């Protein structure tokens, strides 16, 4: 059994291409592996808090010295890391906003990249602790950026996922979504066909 955690981040509830890809993923995954999807966290509906002094206090201070606010911030943050720790497969659905990821997804990553939980510092440098996991990233973009220096989604997400130990990462990009006509249709069909190959 491969437990799957899904993270949605498009602000659009209707007409979202990345949500359309997630929907396809869920349908095909559930057909092949019933009961494997352990959670769908929607960062547009329930944004996670930005890092703040209370959370840093909760992370850094010994338990006995934490304030009530720091404990509360820590409990909320632990929920996010627990979800990732429990998953074998992480599916991130991300629109391209201003050449990068939605700020809600960045805020989520700021919780998930956590020293002592998802990575640790060693004498030879940081080491990712989430070994044996796989990630699938479903993106939607208005233009066409894959492989170009303006793509600050794929290289960034590869870097942060590798940092926490996830090296098996597959990207599926629906590109040209705002170019209209043939471009949009071709880009979406291509992404859907690629996604259909994902086991
Ligand atoms: C605030 C905002 C910024 C965007 N920035 C970019 C961008 O930098 N590059 C791009 O190709 N498309 C950009 N787009 C277009 C979206 O990536 C595109 O509409 C995509 O389909 C959105 O994902 P969704 O359909 O899942 O909501 C932007 C859209 C919005 C709303």
């Amino acid at each position: 059994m491969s437990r799957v955690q899904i993270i949605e981040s498009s602000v659009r509830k209707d007409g979202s291409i990345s949500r359309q890809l997630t929907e396809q993923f869920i349908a095909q995954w559930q057909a092949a592996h019933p009961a494997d999807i352990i959670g769908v966290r929607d960062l547009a509906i329930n944004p996670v808090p930005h890092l703040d002094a209370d959370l840093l206090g909760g992370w850094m201070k010994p338990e006995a010295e934490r304030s009530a606010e720091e404990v509360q911030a820590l409990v909320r943050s632990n929920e996010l890391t627990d979800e990732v720790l429990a998953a074998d497969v992480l599916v991130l659905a991300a629109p391209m906003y201003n050449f990068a990821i939605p700020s809600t997804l960045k805020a989520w990553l700021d919780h998930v990249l956590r020293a002592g939980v998802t990575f640790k510092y060693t004498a030879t440098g940081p080491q990712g602790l989430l070994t044996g996991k796989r990630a699938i990233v479903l993106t939607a973009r208005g233009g066409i950026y894959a492989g170009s220096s303006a793509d600050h989604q794929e290289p960034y997400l590869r870097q942060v996922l590798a940092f926490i130990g996830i090296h098996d990462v597959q990207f599926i990009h629906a590109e040209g979504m705002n170019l209209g006509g043939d471009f949009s249709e071709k880009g979406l069909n291509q992404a859907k066909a690629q996604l259909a190959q994902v086991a």
Side-chain angles (χ1 to χ4, degrees), residues 9-20 93-100 139-145 150 153 174-178:
S9 62
S10 171
V11 299
R12 293 202 289 180
K13 311 293 182 302
D14 300 319
S16 160
I17 302 294
S18 59
R19 286 178 189 274
Q20 209 174 305
M96 178 180 271
Y97 289 159
N98 300 318
F99 309 102
T139 80
R141 294 138 172 227
I144 296 179
Y145 292 98
Q153 274 192 319
E175 295 209 284
M177 293 304 100
N178 293 359

Side-chain angles (χ1 to χ4, degrees), residues 16-148:
S16 160
I17 302 294
S18 59
R19 286 178 189 274
Q20 209 174 305
L21 294 179
T22 322
E23 225 171 85
Q24 179 184 330
F25 172 85
I26 291 172
Q28 76 190 45
W29 191 275
Q30 277 179 334
H33 322 262
D36 271 9
I37 301 201
I38 56 174
V40 179
R41 177 166 285 278
D42 196 319
L43 299 174
I45 293 173
N46 290 310
V48 301
H50 286 133
L51 293 192
D52 62 13
D54 285 336
L55 182 56
L56 288 193
W59 280 350
M60 312 297 277
K61 288 184 189 170
E63 199 175 336
E65 291 172 27
R66 288 175 201 147
S67 69
E69 291 76 15
E70 288 167 346
V71 169
Q72 201 182 22
L74 186 58
V75 167
R76 249 191 338 231
S77 189
N78 284 348
E79 246 180 68
L80 306 176
T81 44
D82 285 349
E83 284 172 3
V84 173
L85 290 168
D88 303 301
V89 181
L90 198 55
V91 176
L92 304 180
M96 178 180 271
Y97 289 159
N98 300 318
F99 309 102
I101 58 172
S103 54
T104 49
L105 184 57
K106 173 61 166 63
W108 177 83
L109 284 165
D110 286 340
H111 288 267
V112 166
L113 271 65
R114 168 119 163 252
V117 178
T118 57
F119 74 93
K120 67 177 180 184
Y121 294 108
T122 72
T124 53
Q127 185 189 323
L129 297 174
L130 301 187
T131 50
K133 296 188 194 291
R134 168 185 179 200
I136 300 162
V137 185
L138 308 173
T139 80
R141 294 138 172 227
I144 296 179
Y145 292 98
S148 84

